[in-house]
Amino acid sequence: MPRENSVVQRFLPFISLAALFVILSIVSPYFLTTTNISSVIRQTAVINIMALGMTLVIVSGGIDLSVGSILAFSGVVGTMTMVSTDSVMLGMVVGGLAGTLWGCVNGLMIARLRIPPFIVTLGTLGIVRGLTLVISGGLPVVGLPKEHGFLGEGTIGPAPFVLVVLVACVFVAHFVLHSTKLGRYTYAIGSNEAAAIYAGIPVGRFKVAIYAICGLLTGLAGMIETSRLMTGQPTAGVTYELQVIAAVVIGGGSLTGGEGTVIGTLIGAFIMGLLSNGSDLLGINPYWQQVIIGAVIILAVALDVARKRRFAS
Amino acid sequence: MLLELSSIRKSFGGVHALLDGTLSVDPGQVHALVGENGAGKSTLMKIVAGMQRRDGGDMRWKGESVDFAEPAAAHRVGIHMVHQESLLAPHLTVAQNIFLGRERMSGIRLDRRGMIEAADDILQAHHFPVKGDWKVETLSPAQKQIVEICRALHGKSSLLIFDEPTSSLSDAEASEVFRTVHALREKGIGIIYITHRLVELEEIADRVTILRDGRTIHSGPAAEITTAEIVHHMVGRDISASMQRGKETPGETRLKVNLPDAEFELRAGEIVGMAGLIGAGRTEVCETIFGITPAGHGTVAVNGEPVDINSPSDAVAAGIALVTEDRQRTGLAVNLSIRTNTTLANLDALCTAEVVQVSKEKAVAEQLREKLQMQADSVEQKASELSGGNQQKIVIAKWMFRDTDIVLFDEPTRGIDVGAKAEVFALMDELAKQGKAILMVSSELPELLQVADRILVMREGELVAELPRETTQQEIMHHAVTQ
């Protein structure tokens, strides 16, 4: 009996997403249109891709509060490169590298200085945002090459191009977390860091890699954001870290580490996306949207905790 | 009659933890409760202490039928439990922990000093080497156990339940606990005493109850039953607890340790015991060799080559494994599966281009599970769902798969039952026969005498003696305590 319950509850995020989808299709005639679904995908792609990296970080028992700032930094330096070299490709590479670099910085401070991730990334949240404003002089980067718009707004057949990017990222992230040594160690470190150290795993090195991957994906998300806006905004991504963490948590990630899946996070990000899209379609006051999303986060975690408690006893 | 339990039943999900828990305790009586892990001892005691509700059966307290909904209800009538796993707040002091939930006030302020003094009084009265203002996180497992005992002693108790109070204590400290138990008995307090150390029964038990597979198999006066009979009842079969290792000439030197306070070597095919009181520095020696706390001075050589070990990953690379004294904290990622834990220290061997070959991994884990006779549904089961003995087997399996030349065992039999102990010894013997060098730190002198080829004795951080296998407990204790 308890086992059946746990199966239902394990798939709860997926069931919730499906239910939300069905309900919105029924109550709003605009929901199930190509335009709207494309728009949901475009809107959630940025948060979604960042959340994939955050999944690794959270599974390892860490947290990264600086992702919103890194998104803006990558976007600004990436677009500045594009403007000065007129090369979209080079700009993308620079943006991605910038994100990776900041991830490495976070990881190195966490591993070498042994400062808790919350503190390190709270610090870099401010540092990176400040540097972004310094570099850009507080002004958005404009005059981007037109082709750059394809990343965020282009389509392949009926599908938005970002969907292709997102699916590719999901596959890679899922593979890394569930099939590679890095992924295995990520779970081991998050589950019991001391035991991982005592098993002879060079935990510090792997932590740097984990935060670097999170930075890389954030850099990519930063480039998508600039492509959608066609500017490099130094103020982009403020409070995105909260949405990203929420997506991971709704998808079953545990802030104490050792738990979380890429698929869960994907579902979590879409639940958040649909809630906000659905509220828009139904004309719910944006102020109330925040209330709803906040309540959903708490509800999701409460159900997860209840599931674990029942399973434990 | 203080407490009377008859036919207590309890199941979790579909699993029957208890089918017939029956025992009774009189005031001023020490009632020992023994059984293998998973026999239902802890569940039965949790029901008495109000931490679990029973599904059926009768529980009477001073003749009246009772049912405790929460631990506080049990506390009110005078039932207290001394927990085996530390339920202490690590960041608080010893005194704050002892007085947790019943703080002394001075006006509207906490009476900090008064509580520290009162805690010191309790500690001193029992000659416990702990101070009231020490932080709990700095204490050893043994000292934490002492705080747990004080916490229970401090309340007004009619019945005290001790859950393996001596499992992490040295013999000297254990006898301190016995004295405490005797004193409590003199005061007319009833005591239920769960233990795995059967040698203790002779010393302290008035009555013995044996549980097996959730049922009371035997309950009677301690004087009327022999240890062999108890073991027989516990496991339902006869086991030869007395494994005798053949005497063989050890091979070449595997590990040479030259630390300022400890110089010794381990040779191929040898099991070297290490004795000493808790806090004598045995674990520290292991952790230094293993790179947890790298040595400032001193050298370590493996197979004749000096090695520079600054972290456990260096140590493992050099061919040294450590079975830690604290499985939960440092030995296992208990939320992960048996498979994952088994392969954690040697994942590279199962990786092709950084990708874990899961089918190969499953085969390895499955093979070790069978070889070590782990009792588990499958290798996908979480380590946390297994008994202590089976968890220890996972830790050993992990290092067997890594196949290091040197294996350090720190308290390998802590918290595991008789049957599993014999199996762990057999595994150590097998590893030695494969030509590995083994160090076995243990507070259980009979075990050391039974298993070790020679015995090193530590005292106050220093290696003070090396004794042959023919030595005696008295001889070892003499070196361990005297200057």
Side-chain angles (χ1 to χ4, degrees), chain A residues 175 179-181 184 192 194-195 197-200, chain B residues 287 290 312-313 324 328-329 332 348 354 356 361:
Chain A
F175 182 76
S179 300
T180 67
K181 193 170 74 176
R184 175 64 59 79
N192 185 346
I197 292 170
Y198 276 75
Chain B
E287 297 204 326
F290 196 61
S313 62
T324 66
Q328 306 283 335
R329 200 175 69 74
L332 288 172
D348 282 321
E354 297 292 301
V356 182
E361 184 186 26

mmCIF file with all atom_site columns, all heavy atoms in Angstrom, chain A residues 175 179-181 184 192 194-195 197-200, chain B residues 287 290 312-313 324 328-329 332 348 354 356 361:
data_model
loop_
_atom_site.group_PDB
_atom_site.id
_atom_site.type_symbol
_atom_site.label_atom_id
_atom_site.label_alt_id
_atom_site.label_comp_id
_atom_site.label_asym_id
_atom_site.label_entity_id
_atom_site.label_seq_id
_atom_site.pdbx_PDB_ins_code
_atom_site.Cartn_x
_atom_site.Cartn_y
_atom_site.Cartn_z
_atom_site.occupancy
_atom_site.B_iso_or_equiv
_atom_site.pdbx_formal_charge
_atom_site.auth_seq_id
_atom_site.auth_comp_id
_atom_site.auth_asym_id
_atom_site.auth_atom_id
_atom_site.pdbx_PDB_model_num
ATOM 1   N N   . PHE A 1 175 ? 22.510 13.100 -19.253 1.00 0.00 ? 175 PHE A N   1
ATOM 2   C CA  . PHE A 1 175 ? 23.584 12.125 -19.441 1.00 0.00 ? 175 PHE A CA  1
ATOM 3   C C   . PHE A 1 175 ? 24.704 12.339 -18.421 1.00 0.00 ? 175 PHE A C   1
ATOM 4   O O   . PHE A 1 175 ? 25.168 11.397 -17.784 1.00 0.00 ? 175 PHE A O   1
ATOM 5   C CB  . PHE A 1 175 ? 24.128 12.233 -20.872 1.00 0.00 ? 175 PHE A CB  1
ATOM 6   C CG  . PHE A 1 175 ? 25.204 11.239 -21.174 1.00 0.00 ? 175 PHE A CG  1
ATOM 7   C CD1 . PHE A 1 175 ? 24.883 9.903  -21.414 1.00 0.00 ? 175 PHE A CD1 1
ATOM 8   C CD2 . PHE A 1 175 ? 26.535 11.615 -21.191 1.00 0.00 ? 175 PHE A CD2 1
ATOM 9   C CE1 . PHE A 1 175 ? 25.872 8.982  -21.676 1.00 0.00 ? 175 PHE A CE1 1
ATOM 10  C CE2 . PHE A 1 175 ? 27.535 10.694 -21.445 1.00 0.00 ? 175 PHE A CE2 1
ATOM 11  C CZ  . PHE A 1 175 ? 27.199 9.370  -21.694 1.00 0.00 ? 175 PHE A CZ  1
ATOM 12  N N   . SER A 1 179 ? 24.853 9.329  -15.971 1.00 0.00 ? 179 SER A N   1
ATOM 13  C CA  . SER A 1 179 ? 25.676 8.278  -16.578 1.00 0.00 ? 179 SER A CA  1
ATOM 14  C C   . SER A 1 179 ? 27.176 8.458  -16.419 1.00 0.00 ? 179 SER A C   1
ATOM 15  O O   . SER A 1 179 ? 27.922 7.521  -16.678 1.00 0.00 ? 179 SER A O   1
ATOM 16  C CB  . SER A 1 179 ? 25.366 8.164  -18.073 1.00 0.00 ? 179 SER A CB  1
ATOM 17  O OG  . SER A 1 179 ? 24.004 7.853  -18.249 1.00 0.00 ? 179 SER A OG  1
ATOM 18  N N   . THR A 1 180 ? 27.625 9.635  -16.024 1.00 0.00 ? 180 THR A N   1
ATOM 19  C CA  . THR A 1 180 ? 29.078 9.818  -15.959 1.00 0.00 ? 180 THR A CA  1
ATOM 20  C C   . THR A 1 180 ? 29.583 9.751  -14.527 1.00 0.00 ? 180 THR A C   1
ATOM 21  O O   . THR A 1 180 ? 28.814 9.808  -13.568 1.00 0.00 ? 180 THR A O   1
ATOM 22  C CB  . THR A 1 180 ? 29.500 11.179 -16.537 1.00 0.00 ? 180 THR A CB  1
ATOM 23  O OG1 . THR A 1 180 ? 29.005 12.208 -15.689 1.00 0.00 ? 180 THR A OG1 1
ATOM 24  C CG2 . THR A 1 180 ? 28.980 11.373 -17.954 1.00 0.00 ? 180 THR A CG2 1
ATOM 25  N N   . LYS A 1 181 ? 30.893 9.669  -14.439 1.00 0.00 ? 181 LYS A N   1
ATOM 26  C CA  . LYS A 1 181 ? 31.546 9.640  -13.141 1.00 0.00 ? 181 LYS A CA  1
ATOM 27  C C   . LYS A 1 181 ? 31.276 10.947 -12.392 1.00 0.00 ? 181 LYS A C   1
ATOM 28  O O   . LYS A 1 181 ? 30.985 10.938 -11.199 1.00 0.00 ? 181 LYS A O   1
ATOM 29  C CB  . LYS A 1 181 ? 33.057 9.463  -13.362 1.00 0.00 ? 181 LYS A CB  1
ATOM 30  C CG  . LYS A 1 181 ? 33.816 9.109  -12.133 1.00 0.00 ? 181 LYS A CG  1
ATOM 31  C CD  . LYS A 1 181 ? 35.247 8.717  -12.480 1.00 0.00 ? 181 LYS A CD  1
ATOM 32  C CE  . LYS A 1 181 ? 36.063 9.925  -12.832 1.00 0.00 ? 181 LYS A CE  1
ATOM 33  N NZ  . LYS A 1 181 ? 37.476 9.626  -13.091 1.00 0.00 ? 181 LYS A NZ  1
ATOM 34  N N   . ARG A 1 184 ? 27.898 10.793 -10.872 1.00 0.00 ? 184 ARG A N   1
ATOM 35  C CA  . ARG A 1 184 ? 27.868 9.878  -9.735  1.00 0.00 ? 184 ARG A CA  1
ATOM 36  C C   . ARG A 1 184 ? 28.465 10.541 -8.501  1.00 0.00 ? 184 ARG A C   1
ATOM 37  O O   . ARG A 1 184 ? 27.916 10.481 -7.398  1.00 0.00 ? 184 ARG A O   1
ATOM 38  C CB  . ARG A 1 184 ? 28.639 8.606  -10.103 1.00 0.00 ? 184 ARG A CB  1
ATOM 39  C CG  . ARG A 1 184 ? 28.786 7.612  -8.969  1.00 0.00 ? 184 ARG A CG  1
ATOM 40  C CD  . ARG A 1 184 ? 27.451 7.068  -8.522  1.00 0.00 ? 184 ARG A CD  1
ATOM 41  N NE  . ARG A 1 184 ? 26.761 6.411  -9.618  1.00 0.00 ? 184 ARG A NE  1
ATOM 42  C CZ  . ARG A 1 184 ? 27.025 5.190  -10.045 1.00 0.00 ? 184 ARG A CZ  1
ATOM 43  N NH1 . ARG A 1 184 ? 27.948 4.470  -9.471  1.00 0.00 ? 184 ARG A NH1 1
ATOM 44  N NH2 . ARG A 1 184 ? 26.335 4.662  -11.044 1.00 0.00 ? 184 ARG A NH2 1
ATOM 45  N N   . ASN A 1 192 ? 26.655 12.583 1.109   1.00 0.00 ? 192 ASN A N   1
ATOM 46  C CA  . ASN A 1 192 ? 27.508 12.567 2.297   1.00 0.00 ? 192 ASN A CA  1
ATOM 47  C C   . ASN A 1 192 ? 28.922 12.947 1.878   1.00 0.00 ? 192 ASN A C   1
ATOM 48  O O   . ASN A 1 192 ? 29.709 12.104 1.451   1.00 0.00 ? 192 ASN A O   1
ATOM 49  C CB  . ASN A 1 192 ? 27.498 11.180 2.960   1.00 0.00 ? 192 ASN A CB  1
ATOM 50  C CG  . ASN A 1 192 ? 28.271 11.169 4.265   1.00 0.00 ? 192 ASN A CG  1
ATOM 51  O OD1 . ASN A 1 192 ? 29.025 12.101 4.571   1.00 0.00 ? 192 ASN A OD1 1
ATOM 52  N ND2 . ASN A 1 192 ? 28.084 10.127 5.051   1.00 0.00 ? 192 ASN A ND2 1
ATOM 53  N N   . ALA A 1 194 ? 31.531 13.876 3.571   1.00 0.00 ? 194 ALA A N   1
ATOM 54  C CA  . ALA A 1 194 ? 32.623 13.256 4.332   1.00 0.00 ? 194 ALA A CA  1
ATOM 55  C C   . ALA A 1 194 ? 32.909 11.852 3.801   1.00 0.00 ? 194 ALA A C   1
ATOM 56  O O   . ALA A 1 194 ? 34.060 11.471 3.596   1.00 0.00 ? 194 ALA A O   1
ATOM 57  C CB  . ALA A 1 194 ? 32.270 13.198 5.810   1.00 0.00 ? 194 ALA A CB  1
ATOM 58  N N   . ALA A 1 195 ? 31.841 11.089 3.539   1.00 0.00 ? 195 ALA A N   1
ATOM 59  C CA  . ALA A 1 195 ? 32.041 9.733  3.036   1.00 0.00 ? 195 ALA A CA  1
ATOM 60  C C   . ALA A 1 195 ? 32.705 9.760  1.666   1.00 0.00 ? 195 ALA A C   1
ATOM 61  O O   . ALA A 1 195 ? 33.525 8.897  1.350   1.00 0.00 ? 195 ALA A O   1
ATOM 62  C CB  . ALA A 1 195 ? 30.710 8.983  2.971   1.00 0.00 ? 195 ALA A CB  1
ATOM 63  N N   . ILE A 1 197 ? 34.831 12.042 0.604   1.00 0.00 ? 197 ILE A N   1
ATOM 64  C CA  . ILE A 1 197 ? 36.245 12.342 0.851   1.00 0.00 ? 197 ILE A CA  1
ATOM 65  C C   . ILE A 1 197 ? 36.967 11.085 1.341   1.00 0.00 ? 197 ILE A C   1
ATOM 66  O O   . ILE A 1 197 ? 38.039 10.733 0.864   1.00 0.00 ? 197 ILE A O   1
ATOM 67  C CB  . ILE A 1 197 ? 36.382 13.476 1.895   1.00 0.00 ? 197 ILE A CB  1
ATOM 68  C CG1 . ILE A 1 197 ? 35.857 14.788 1.298   1.00 0.00 ? 197 ILE A CG1 1
ATOM 69  C CG2 . ILE A 1 197 ? 37.836 13.643 2.339   1.00 0.00 ? 197 ILE A CG2 1
ATOM 70  C CD1 . ILE A 1 197 ? 35.724 15.920 2.294   1.00 0.00 ? 197 ILE A CD1 1
ATOM 71  N N   . TYR A 1 198 ? 36.331 10.378 2.298   1.00 0.00 ? 198 TYR A N   1
ATOM 72  C CA  . TYR A 1 198 ? 36.943 9.168  2.857   1.00 0.00 ? 198 TYR A CA  1
ATOM 73  C C   . TYR A 1 198 ? 37.035 8.045  1.836   1.00 0.00 ? 198 TYR A C   1
ATOM 74  O O   . TYR A 1 198 ? 37.761 7.071  2.042   1.00 0.00 ? 198 TYR A O   1
ATOM 75  C CB  . TYR A 1 198 ? 36.161 8.682  4.089   1.00 0.00 ? 198 TYR A CB  1
ATOM 76  C CG  . TYR A 1 198 ? 36.556 9.367  5.387   1.00 0.00 ? 198 TYR A CG  1
ATOM 77  C CD1 . TYR A 1 198 ? 36.142 10.667 5.649   1.00 0.00 ? 198 TYR A CD1 1
ATOM 78  C CD2 . TYR A 1 198 ? 37.328 8.718  6.342   1.00 0.00 ? 198 TYR A CD2 1
ATOM 79  C CE1 . TYR A 1 198 ? 36.489 11.306 6.829   1.00 0.00 ? 198 TYR A CE1 1
ATOM 80  C CE2 . TYR A 1 198 ? 37.677 9.344  7.532   1.00 0.00 ? 198 TYR A CE2 1
ATOM 81  C CZ  . TYR A 1 198 ? 37.257 10.631 7.769   1.00 0.00 ? 198 TYR A CZ  1
ATOM 82  O OH  . TYR A 1 198 ? 37.597 11.262 8.939   1.00 0.00 ? 198 TYR A OH  1
ATOM 83  N N   . ALA A 1 199 ? 36.268 8.142  0.743   1.00 0.00 ? 199 ALA A N   1
ATOM 84  C CA  . ALA A 1 199 ? 36.381 7.120  -0.304  1.00 0.00 ? 199 ALA A CA  1
ATOM 85  C C   . ALA A 1 199 ? 37.514 7.464  -1.259  1.00 0.00 ? 199 ALA A C   1
ATOM 86  O O   . ALA A 1 199 ? 37.736 6.767  -2.242  1.00 0.00 ? 199 ALA A O   1
ATOM 87  C CB  . ALA A 1 199 ? 35.066 6.997  -1.060  1.00 0.00 ? 199 ALA A CB  1
ATOM 88  N N   . GLY A 1 200 ? 38.223 8.574  -0.969  1.00 0.00 ? 200 GLY A N   1
ATOM 89  C CA  . GLY A 1 200 ? 39.373 8.929  -1.798  1.00 0.00 ? 200 GLY A CA  1
ATOM 90  C C   . GLY A 1 200 ? 39.022 9.766  -3.023  1.00 0.00 ? 200 GLY A C   1
ATOM 91  O O   . GLY A 1 200 ? 39.837 9.910  -3.922  1.00 0.00 ? 200 GLY A O   1
ATOM 92  N N   . GLU B 2 287 ? 43.822 8.165  10.936  1.00 0.00 ? 287 GLU B N   1
ATOM 93  C CA  . GLU B 2 287 ? 43.450 9.296  10.090  1.00 0.00 ? 287 GLU B CA  1
ATOM 94  C C   . GLU B 2 287 ? 44.679 10.029 9.562   1.00 0.00 ? 287 GLU B C   1
ATOM 95  O O   . GLU B 2 287 ? 44.627 10.610 8.480   1.00 0.00 ? 287 GLU B O   1
ATOM 96  C CB  . GLU B 2 287 ? 42.526 10.241 10.865  1.00 0.00 ? 287 GLU B CB  1
ATOM 97  C CG  . GLU B 2 287 ? 41.224 9.532  11.242  1.00 0.00 ? 287 GLU B CG  1
ATOM 98  C CD  . GLU B 2 287 ? 40.049 10.454 11.474  1.00 0.00 ? 287 GLU B CD  1
ATOM 99  O OE1 . GLU B 2 287 ? 40.273 11.578 11.970  1.00 0.00 ? 287 GLU B OE1 1
ATOM 100 O OE2 . GLU B 2 287 ? 38.908 10.058 11.151  1.00 0.00 ? 287 GLU B OE2 1
ATOM 101 N N   . PHE B 2 290 ? 45.894 7.973  6.717   1.00 0.00 ? 290 PHE B N   1
ATOM 102 C CA  . PHE B 2 290 ? 44.936 8.054  5.609   1.00 0.00 ? 290 PHE B CA  1
ATOM 103 C C   . PHE B 2 290 ? 44.821 9.472  5.027   1.00 0.00 ? 290 PHE B C   1
ATOM 104 O O   . PHE B 2 290 ? 44.062 9.703  4.095   1.00 0.00 ? 290 PHE B O   1
ATOM 105 C CB  . PHE B 2 290 ? 43.567 7.561  6.103   1.00 0.00 ? 290 PHE B CB  1
ATOM 106 C CG  . PHE B 2 290 ? 42.603 7.224  5.005   1.00 0.00 ? 290 PHE B CG  1
ATOM 107 C CD1 . PHE B 2 290 ? 42.887 6.229  4.078   1.00 0.00 ? 290 PHE B CD1 1
ATOM 108 C CD2 . PHE B 2 290 ? 41.398 7.908  4.886   1.00 0.00 ? 290 PHE B CD2 1
ATOM 109 C CE1 . PHE B 2 290 ? 41.983 5.922  3.060   1.00 0.00 ? 290 PHE B CE1 1
ATOM 110 C CE2 . PHE B 2 290 ? 40.493 7.598  3.875   1.00 0.00 ? 290 PHE B CE2 1
ATOM 111 C CZ  . PHE B 2 290 ? 40.797 6.600  2.963   1.00 0.00 ? 290 PHE B CZ  1
ATOM 112 N N   . PRO B 2 312 ? 42.862 11.887 1.627   1.00 0.00 ? 312 PRO B N   1
ATOM 113 C CA  . PRO B 2 312 ? 42.465 10.489 1.445   1.00 0.00 ? 312 PRO B CA  1
ATOM 114 C C   . PRO B 2 312 ? 42.660 10.026 0.004   1.00 0.00 ? 312 PRO B C   1
ATOM 115 O O   . PRO B 2 312 ? 42.992 8.864  -0.221  1.00 0.00 ? 312 PRO B O   1
ATOM 116 C CB  . PRO B 2 312 ? 40.985 10.504 1.815   1.00 0.00 ? 312 PRO B CB  1
ATOM 117 C CG  . PRO B 2 312 ? 40.860 11.626 2.778   1.00 0.00 ? 312 PRO B CG  1
ATOM 118 C CD  . PRO B 2 312 ? 41.815 12.671 2.291   1.00 0.00 ? 312 PRO B CD  1
ATOM 119 N N   . SER B 2 313 ? 42.501 10.935 -0.970  1.00 0.00 ? 313 SER B N   1
ATOM 120 C CA  . SER B 2 313 ? 42.681 10.445 -2.339  1.00 0.00 ? 313 SER B CA  1
ATOM 121 C C   . SER B 2 313 ? 44.134 10.064 -2.585  1.00 0.00 ? 313 SER B C   1
ATOM 122 O O   . SER B 2 313 ? 44.404 9.118  -3.319  1.00 0.00 ? 313 SER B O   1
ATOM 123 C CB  . SER B 2 313 ? 42.154 11.454 -3.371  1.00 0.00 ? 313 SER B CB  1
ATOM 124 O OG  . SER B 2 313 ? 42.847 12.650 -3.314  1.00 0.00 ? 313 SER B OG  1
ATOM 125 N N   . THR B 2 324 ? 36.157 3.237  8.416   1.00 0.00 ? 324 THR B N   1
ATOM 126 C CA  . THR B 2 324 ? 36.107 4.214  9.508   1.00 0.00 ? 324 THR B CA  1
ATOM 127 C C   . THR B 2 324 ? 35.279 3.720  10.682  1.00 0.00 ? 324 THR B C   1
ATOM 128 O O   . THR B 2 324 ? 34.468 2.808  10.548  1.00 0.00 ? 324 THR B O   1
ATOM 129 C CB  . THR B 2 324 ? 35.537 5.553  9.039   1.00 0.00 ? 324 THR B CB  1
ATOM 130 O OG1 . THR B 2 324 ? 34.168 5.363  8.678   1.00 0.00 ? 324 THR B OG1 1
ATOM 131 C CG2 . THR B 2 324 ? 36.302 6.082  7.855   1.00 0.00 ? 324 THR B CG2 1
ATOM 132 N N   . GLN B 2 328 ? 27.987 5.855  9.581   1.00 0.00 ? 328 GLN B N   1
ATOM 133 C CA  . GLN B 2 328 ? 26.962 6.806  9.143   1.00 0.00 ? 328 GLN B CA  1
ATOM 134 C C   . GLN B 2 328 ? 27.590 8.108  8.660   1.00 0.00 ? 328 GLN B C   1
ATOM 135 O O   . GLN B 2 328 ? 27.148 8.704  7.705   1.00 0.00 ? 328 GLN B O   1
ATOM 136 C CB  . GLN B 2 328 ? 26.007 7.132  10.299  1.00 0.00 ? 328 GLN B CB  1
ATOM 137 C CG  . GLN B 2 328 ? 25.382 5.936  10.937  1.00 0.00 ? 328 GLN B CG  1
ATOM 138 C CD  . GLN B 2 328 ? 24.261 5.370  10.105  1.00 0.00 ? 328 GLN B CD  1
ATOM 139 O OE1 . GLN B 2 328 ? 23.653 6.071  9.318   1.00 0.00 ? 328 GLN B OE1 1
ATOM 140 N NE2 . GLN B 2 328 ? 24.001 4.085  10.257  1.00 0.00 ? 328 GLN B NE2 1
ATOM 141 N N   . ARG B 2 329 ? 28.638 8.550  9.369   1.00 0.00 ? 329 ARG B N   1
ATOM 142 C CA  . ARG B 2 329 ? 29.185 9.867  9.078   1.00 0.00 ? 329 ARG B CA  1
ATOM 143 C C   . ARG B 2 329 ? 30.220 9.821  7.950   1.00 0.00 ? 329 ARG B C   1
ATOM 144 O O   . ARG B 2 329 ? 30.204 10.677 7.068   1.00 0.00 ? 329 ARG B O   1
ATOM 145 C CB  . ARG B 2 329 ? 29.828 10.452 10.347  1.00 0.00 ? 329 ARG B CB  1
ATOM 146 C CG  . ARG B 2 329 ? 29.989 11.956 10.314  1.00 0.00 ? 329 ARG B CG  1
ATOM 147 C CD  . ARG B 2 329 ? 30.508 12.467 11.646  1.00 0.00 ? 329 ARG B CD  1
ATOM 148 N NE  . ARG B 2 329 ? 31.885 12.069 11.896  1.00 0.00 ? 329 ARG B NE  1
ATOM 149 C CZ  . ARG B 2 329 ? 32.942 12.602 11.284  1.00 0.00 ? 329 ARG B CZ  1
ATOM 150 N NH1 . ARG B 2 329 ? 32.784 13.536 10.389  1.00 0.00 ? 329 ARG B NH1 1
ATOM 151 N NH2 . ARG B 2 329 ? 34.150 12.180 11.581  1.00 0.00 ? 329 ARG B NH2 1
ATOM 152 N N   . LEU B 2 332 ? 29.637 5.677  4.686   1.00 0.00 ? 332 LEU B N   1
ATOM 153 C CA  . LEU B 2 332 ? 28.637 5.405  3.656   1.00 0.00 ? 332 LEU B CA  1
ATOM 154 C C   . LEU B 2 332 ? 27.866 6.665  3.295   1.00 0.00 ? 332 LEU B C   1
ATOM 155 O O   . LEU B 2 332 ? 27.672 7.536  4.137   1.00 0.00 ? 332 LEU B O   1
ATOM 156 C CB  . LEU B 2 332 ? 27.612 4.399  4.179   1.00 0.00 ? 332 LEU B CB  1
ATOM 157 C CG  . LEU B 2 332 ? 28.028 2.955  4.358   1.00 0.00 ? 332 LEU B CG  1
ATOM 158 C CD1 . LEU B 2 332 ? 26.918 2.209  5.078   1.00 0.00 ? 332 LEU B CD1 1
ATOM 159 C CD2 . LEU B 2 332 ? 28.295 2.311  3.014   1.00 0.00 ? 332 LEU B CD2 1
ATOM 160 N N   . ASP B 2 348 ? 36.649 4.519  -11.325 1.00 0.00 ? 348 ASP B N   1
ATOM 161 C CA  . ASP B 2 348 ? 37.456 4.604  -12.543 1.00 0.00 ? 348 ASP B CA  1
ATOM 162 C C   . ASP B 2 348 ? 37.532 3.254  -13.260 1.00 0.00 ? 348 ASP B C   1
ATOM 163 O O   . ASP B 2 348 ? 37.521 3.193  -14.481 1.00 0.00 ? 348 ASP B O   1
ATOM 164 C CB  . ASP B 2 348 ? 38.878 5.070  -12.202 1.00 0.00 ? 348 ASP B CB  1
ATOM 165 C CG  . ASP B 2 348 ? 38.922 6.570  -11.962 1.00 0.00 ? 348 ASP B CG  1
ATOM 166 O OD1 . ASP B 2 348 ? 38.214 7.295  -12.699 1.00 0.00 ? 348 ASP B OD1 1
ATOM 167 O OD2 . ASP B 2 348 ? 39.631 7.007  -11.050 1.00 0.00 ? 348 ASP B OD2 1
ATOM 168 N N   . GLU B 2 354 ? 34.969 8.337  -18.948 1.00 0.00 ? 354 GLU B N   1
ATOM 169 C CA  . GLU B 2 354 ? 34.196 9.064  -17.937 1.00 0.00 ? 354 GLU B CA  1
ATOM 170 C C   . GLU B 2 354 ? 32.750 8.575  -17.779 1.00 0.00 ? 354 GLU B C   1
ATOM 171 O O   . GLU B 2 354 ? 31.998 9.105  -16.988 1.00 0.00 ? 354 GLU B O   1
ATOM 172 C CB  . GLU B 2 354 ? 34.188 10.575 -18.220 1.00 0.00 ? 354 GLU B CB  1
ATOM 173 C CG  . GLU B 2 354 ? 35.569 11.229 -18.173 1.00 0.00 ? 354 GLU B CG  1
ATOM 174 C CD  . GLU B 2 354 ? 36.165 11.266 -16.771 1.00 0.00 ? 354 GLU B CD  1
ATOM 175 O OE1 . GLU B 2 354 ? 35.531 11.856 -15.892 1.00 0.00 ? 354 GLU B OE1 1
ATOM 176 O OE2 . GLU B 2 354 ? 37.256 10.707 -16.579 1.00 0.00 ? 354 GLU B OE2 1
ATOM 177 N N   . VAL B 2 356 ? 30.081 5.803  -16.698 1.00 0.00 ? 356 VAL B N   1
ATOM 178 C CA  . VAL B 2 356 ? 30.002 4.623  -15.842 1.00 0.00 ? 356 VAL B CA  1
ATOM 179 C C   . VAL B 2 356 ? 29.289 3.494  -16.584 1.00 0.00 ? 356 VAL B C   1
ATOM 180 O O   . VAL B 2 356 ? 28.186 3.687  -17.104 1.00 0.00 ? 356 VAL B O   1
ATOM 181 C CB  . VAL B 2 356 ? 29.232 4.946  -14.540 1.00 0.00 ? 356 VAL B CB  1
ATOM 182 C CG1 . VAL B 2 356 ? 29.189 3.723  -13.639 1.00 0.00 ? 356 VAL B CG1 1
ATOM 183 C CG2 . VAL B 2 356 ? 29.850 6.127  -13.826 1.00 0.00 ? 356 VAL B CG2 1
ATOM 184 N N   . GLU B 2 361 ? 28.947 -2.473 -13.485 1.00 0.00 ? 361 GLU B N   1
ATOM 185 C CA  . GLU B 2 361 ? 28.888 -2.063 -12.085 1.00 0.00 ? 361 GLU B CA  1
ATOM 186 C C   . GLU B 2 361 ? 27.923 -2.952 -11.303 1.00 0.00 ? 361 GLU B C   1
ATOM 187 O O   . GLU B 2 361 ? 28.224 -3.401 -10.198 1.00 0.00 ? 361 GLU B O   1
ATOM 188 C CB  . GLU B 2 361 ? 28.440 -0.596 -12.004 1.00 0.00 ? 361 GLU B CB  1
ATOM 189 C CG  . GLU B 2 361 ? 28.448 -0.052 -10.590 1.00 0.00 ? 361 GLU B CG  1
ATOM 190 C CD  . GLU B 2 361 ? 27.865 1.337  -10.495 1.00 0.00 ? 361 GLU B CD  1
ATOM 191 O OE1 . GLU B 2 361 ? 27.032 1.710  -11.342 1.00 0.00 ? 361 GLU B OE1 1
ATOM 192 O OE2 . GLU B 2 361 ? 28.229 2.057  -9.552  1.00 0.00 ? 361 GLU B OE2 1
#
